[in-house]
Amino acid sequence: MGDKAHAHTGAATGATTAGHPSSVRNVVLVGHSGSGKTTLVEALAQTAGAVSRAGRVEDGSTVSDHDAIEHRQQRSVQLSLVPVEWGGIRINLLDTPGYADFVGELRAGLRAADAALFVVSAAQEADSVAGATRAVWEECAAVGMPRAIVVTHLDTARTPFDAMTRVCGEIFGGDDPDAVLPLYLPVLGPEGADGHAPLTGLTGLLSQRIFDYSGGERKENPPDEAQQPPLAEARNRLIEGIIAESEDETLMDRYLGGEDIDIRTLVDDLERAVARGTFHPVLTAAPAAGGARQGIGTVELLDLITGGFPTPLERPLPAVTALHGAALPALGCDAGGPLVAEVVKTASDPYVGRLSLVRVFSGTLRPDDTVHVFGHGLTDPGHEARPFHETEIRVGALSSPFGKQQRPRTECTAGDLACVARLSGAETGDTLSDPDRPLLMQPWTTPDPLLPLAVQARGKADEDKLSQGLARLVAEDPTMRLEQNQDTHQTVLWCLGEAQLDVALDRLHSRYGVQVDAVPHQVALRETFAGPSAGRGRHVKQSGGHGQYAICEIDVEPLPPGSGIEFVDKVVGGSVPRQFIPSVEKGVRAQAARGVVTGHPLVDLRITLRDGKSHSVDSSDAAFQTAGALALREAASDTRIQLLEPVAEVRVLVPDDYVGPVMSDLSGRRGRVTGTEQSGAGRTLVRAEVPELEIGRYAVDLRSLSHGTGRFDRSYARHEAMPAQLADRVREQRRSGTNGA
């Protein structure tokens, strides 16, 4: 493992059977944007011989060639799979975006993986490492997922390696920083003109050997005498950390008694501790330079993955139930067992069409198989899931992606991942199973999108394609939500942040050929009467033949919030015939829905019909509907109309250090903090009520305010009176033909 290249190079070879779950490792790379995850994946692929020294596959593309949008935006925006082979082991490297807007891709990668590599950059501030990755680390810890840490960019480091390991111990070690320790110390060359020293090799702490990459090939040398004191200190701490995790309780006493513990024993204990998720080694890596075949540290990292990370056989499967929720015995990762697979990613390829990345948890998936598809929807706890859907689909071709290529496969067995063509009825998160034994896998959760984007088609041709394009976007990415708002009549795409919003607009145009314009998102305001009033509606017209005749008189009085519209009939003496009273109510309610001042619906009113007049020939249903609407408008003209705005209950979870700034910011948004409470070590939940007009961009603003460490959710609380100044501004905007709400 850490010194496996010295102790038993390629120990994973020959011990497994190709296609068996024991010969697979599924590893997700996690880290802050710019930490070097994609570069590391390319370096590992090059060292494993999957690509040339120039980092190219056979068709000339690179393993980082994914969506064209990634090249336009110069950042990863989606989960990608790069399979490589090392020592007879198939390693599925799952490269995730580092930007917070694409956390849905990260969650999918965590679902598909059995272990995680946390990539941290020594060229970034320590705060950014903590803010961006601590929450994900805690997610992995909650399910016992094995983790290791890779430090990159030592050649341009702001923070030296020993300081980075201390930072990682503080951030990731929690109460046990000795569970996060380096396996190697970097060997740095002479400083250049820019003041930075290049990484030229590694010193193995267990083997006490130098692995020198300075000549372009990895060479093993004895350690330099000058390195002995710092090497001995770091080595002793590593050995003590490994022994502390050993299942052999006599090992520590023997070590403290002066016994020289065999390196084979230490490596075996290290492998078990890493696979259990109780010890987290720190390594460093750099891509190959100057035509070298191997990147620095990549051999060591591949040995760690194959020797220390668990096989799919060692990881428990997500819970599986019958379709209607009945509990079933736990399934194992068995290629001969019942088929249970899951769509972890859906994408559209311009050449092969729809592609679904599938993790097979049990059984074997083959081309032309018919599978049962059950969609349960992915959701954040407490929010409404997507509608269930169920169908049977014939599986298309299976393949493994590599750059722009799709390499054909004859089957995908339990524990492995593959791309499946033409799963047209399946969405991300859907369960695939045998039609004769349909099963449902417990879904993973996704955050609720809270940044709205209101869009409208640019032209008539775009209108026809817009709904289909938006539906496909949402099917591919469950962290986006589509809303057809009945109050504002806007089409709203809810996203996690501005970067995801930009990607959505880009894909609508480049992939689905839809031109759209982003328009201001409108909040659903309401109107109500500030006091009682009365109105008379007179609709009398005579124009040859049957005329129109209807007169009605109403009283209007405000009701408590949440009462809606209440209609009361107090007509006596038949002044309004019984058959036309429902017509008056229909007209009144239609006018209330249209509003009387700003175009927002009227609410919380009791409208009483007390009198009226009719004509034996000219009165009609339509005439009394019109009279009812006119009566309500006249009543509105004799009193003050109050605007009501929606208020949201907001729950903000932030580290304790940011509680003060968050509460101050909420107050500046006309919010009322209703309480705070501790939520785990070092984190506080702030509860507040905030007008929705003030939190349209809160998803972006909170991220900036808390350095990416805060998250929030919101739910509708009620409508309440808007301050007079703001209400006047809305009325003025209505008169001028704009809508600022």
Side-chain angles (χ1 to χ4, degrees):
M1 155 124 155
D3 279 312
K4 184 172 283 191
H6 172 73
H8 54 292
T9 303
T13 61
T16 59
T17 304
H20 191 269
S22 61
S23 65
V24 176
R25 305 291 185 275
N26 297 310
V27 182
V28 61
L29 282 82
V30 178
H32 191 272
S33 181
S35 60
K37 299 182 298 299
T38 299
T39 302
L40 178 59
V41 168
E42 293 176 352
L44 292 171
Q46 182 175 337
T47 296
V51 297
S52 68
R53 294 193 182 193
R56 303 281 167 177
V57 294
E58 290 89 333
D59 65 354
S61 63
T62 67
V63 293
S64 59
D65 281 332
H66 308 305
D67 198 325
I69 193 173
E70 295 182 313
H71 297 281
R72 290 194 293 273
Q73 298 200 4
Q74 292 298 298
R75 61 183 168 198
S76 296
V77 302
Q78 64 179 2
L79 175 71
S80 62
L81 169 64
V82 178
V84 300
E85 186 172 311
W86 186 251
I89 302 293
R90 177 184 173 87
I91 304 173
N92 290 316
L93 297 170
L94 292 152
D95 184 14
T96 63
Y99 204 72
D101 286 13
F102 308 110
V103 67
E105 305 289 319
L106 170 61
R107 294 277 177 89
L110 291 173
R111 177 68 158 208
D114 301 307
L117 283 177
F118 280 72
V119 183
V120 298
S121 171
Q124 294 174 327
E125 297 288 352
D127 286 348
S128 68
V129 176
T133 57
R134 191 196 302 265
V136 183
W137 183 275
E138 291 170 354
E139 280 188 45
C140 294
V143 296
M145 179 178 281
R147 287 144 282 156
I149 301 159
V150 183
V151 178
T152 59
H153 300 152
L154 278 179
D155 54 340
T156 57
R158 294 188 184 196
T159 309
F161 182 75
D162 57 344
M164 282 300 301
T165 57
R166 285 197 301 273
V167 168
C168 291
E170 293 166 1
I171 295 172
F172 304 129
D175 297 332
D176 187 13
D178 285 339
V180 180
L181 294 172
L183 299 186
Y184 300 87
L185 295 182
V187 178
L188 302 177
E191 285 189 4
D194 58 359
H196 294 297
L199 181 66
T200 62
L202 303 171
T203 300
L205 291 179
L206 293 183
S207 66
Q208 304 182 76
R209 309 288 290 180
I210 292 178
F211 302 103
D212 182 15
Y213 289 81
S214 60
E217 297 291 336
R218 183 177 184 270
K219 294 182 180 179
E220 185 177 331
N221 300 316
D224 191 325
E225 291 296 326
Q227 288 187 303
Q228 289 302 321
L231 179 64
E233 181 182 349
R235 185 174 191 268
N236 290 338
R237 191 179 178 201
L238 173 62
I239 291 175
E240 290 176 9
I242 294 171
I243 291 175
E245 300 295 336
S246 175
E247 297 174 356
D248 185 348
E249 297 179 357
T250 69
L251 206 56
M252 182 63 78
D253 291 336
R254 289 158 49 196
Y255 174 71
L256 295 176
E259 182 178 334
D260 188 15
I261 306 300
D262 179 63
I263 190 173
R264 177 67 262 167
T265 300
L266 292 173
V267 169
D268 288 346
D269 281 340
L270 180 59
E271 290 176 351
R272 283 190 287 268
V274 171
R276 286 197 308 267
T278 58
F279 187 86
H280 315 294
V282 181
L283 298 90
T284 186
R293 186 179 67 83
Q294 297 171 338
I296 299 173
T298 52
V299 169
E300 291 75 15
L301 189 50
L302 288 166
D303 280 342
L304 164 68
I305 292 170
T306 55
F309 281 170
T311 72
L313 295 168
E314 300 171 76
R315 297 289 299 157
L317 270 63
V320 177
T321 67
L323 293 190
H324 301 293
L328 296 174
L331 292 176
C333 182
D334 179 6
L339 176 65
V340 179
E342 190 171 40
V343 179
V344 295
K345 169 69 183 173
T346 308
S348 296
D349 185 279
Y351 301 104
V352 298
R354 190 184 183 99
L355 276 177
S356 301
L357 178 60
V358 172
R359 162 81 190 249
V360 178
F361 288 93
S362 172
T364 300
L365 187 66
R366 297 180 179 87
D368 297 326
D369 282 352
T370 298
V371 296
H372 180 272
V373 177
F374 195 86
H376 42 56
L378 301 177
T379 184
D380 193 42
H383 294 84
E384 185 178 351
R386 298 181 180 207
F388 286 68
H389 54 273
E390 185 177 4
T391 186
E392 290 188 4
I393 302 175
R394 186 178 180 185
V395 174
L398 299 186
S399 61
S400 286
F402 205 80
K404 294 180 180 178
Q405 296 181 345
Q406 292 292 331
R407 298 174 175 174
R409 296 184 62 176
T410 57
E411 64 180 21
C412 182
T413 57
D416 208 350
L417 292 129
C419 287
V420 183
R422 298 191 302 278
L423 281 180
S424 56
E427 299 179 1
T428 300
D430 286 0
T431 302
L432 310 183
S433 57
D434 192 316
D436 296 330
R437 188 184 176 185
L439 300 170
L440 174 62
M441 186 162 279
Q442 178 181 335
W444 73 86
T445 61
T446 61
D448 195 29
L450 296 170
L451 182 67
L453 170 67
V455 296
Q456 62 184 23
R458 187 167 296 176
K460 178 62 178 175
D462 298 309
E463 286 181 10
D464 300 334
K465 297 183 288 185
L466 178 58
S467 59
Q468 185 179 19
L470 288 172
R472 288 182 177 177
L473 280 181
V474 173
E476 292 178 9
D477 187 349
T479 63
M480 291 193 289
R481 177 165 53 88
L482 185 61
E483 174 193 12
Q484 300 289 346
N485 193 295
Q486 299 303 311
D487 290 320
T488 64
H489 308 292
Q490 286 190 313
T491 299
V492 183
L493 187 65
W494 290 85
C495 302
L496 294 174
E498 289 182 311
Q500 189 185 38
L501 183 151
D502 291 341
V503 168
L505 291 176
D506 191 311
R507 283 181 173 158
L508 278 175
H509 173 57
S510 61
R511 185 177 292 177
Y512 303 116
V514 185
Q515 293 274 16
V516 299
D517 293 316
V519 296
H521 175 245
Q522 297 177 17
V523 170
L525 303 181
R526 297 287 185 267
E527 298 176 348
T528 194
F529 281 35
S533 185
R536 184 173 189 265
R538 183 178 185 274
H539 183 62
V540 178
K541 289 187 177 181
Q542 191 68 42
S543 58
H546 282 298
Q548 299 180 50
Y549 190 98
I551 298 175
C552 63
E553 296 177 5
I554 62 172
D555 292 326
V556 183
E557 57 185 312
L559 293 176
S563 300
I565 298 292
E566 180 181 328
F567 184 82
V568 179
D569 168 25
K570 286 192 176 180
V571 173
V572 294
S575 57
V576 176
R578 305 308 303 170
Q579 70 268 27
F580 293 134
I581 290 176
S583 304
V584 176
E585 180 179 1
K586 188 174 181 180
V588 164
R589 290 188 179 277
Q591 184 63 55
R594 294 192 296 269
V596 291
V597 175
T598 62
H600 298 290
L602 274 168
V603 294
D604 304 333
L605 298 175
R606 177 181 290 123
I607 301 169
T608 302
L609 176 63
R610 55 180 171 79
D611 202 357
K613 293 181 180 180
S614 65
H615 188 278
S616 59
V617 176
D618 293 341
S619 290
S620 65
D621 170 68
F624 271 99
Q625 285 190 44
T626 303
L630 291 171
L632 186 59
R633 292 210 296 268
E634 182 177 287
S637 67
D638 289 339
T639 190
R640 184 169 62 88
I641 300 300
Q642 196 169 54
L643 279 182
L644 305 177
E645 61 180 339
V647 175
E649 182 182 347
V650 177
R651 294 161 294 274
V652 188
L653 183 64
V654 289
D656 293 343
D657 292 345
Y658 297 106
V659 171
V662 164
M663 292 175 67
S664 176
D665 178 72
L666 290 172
S667 296
R669 297 172 185 270
R670 299 190 284 125
R672 295 183 296 272
V673 176
T674 58
T676 61
E677 60 188 74
Q678 287 300 120
S679 181
R683 298 178 77 81
T684 298
L685 181 68
V686 180
R687 297 180 182 274
E689 293 181 344
V690 191
E692 289 191 10
L693 282 169
E694 305 289 343
I695 54 173
R697 289 180 51 81
Y698 194 59
V700 176
D701 298 338
L702 176 63
R703 187 177 298 164
S704 175
L705 183 66
S706 65
H707 293 206
T709 60
R711 55 189 176 89
F712 83 106
D713 60 55
R714 58 190 264 193
S715 58
Y716 172 77
R718 63 187 174 278
H719 274 73
E720 65 180 33
M722 179 184 287
Q725 255 186 331
L726 286 177
D728 290 342
R729 189 185 308 163
V730 172
R731 293 188 186 98
E732 181 60 34
Q733 288 167 341
R734 176 73 176 182
R735 283 193 292 268
S736 64
T738 62
N739 193 333

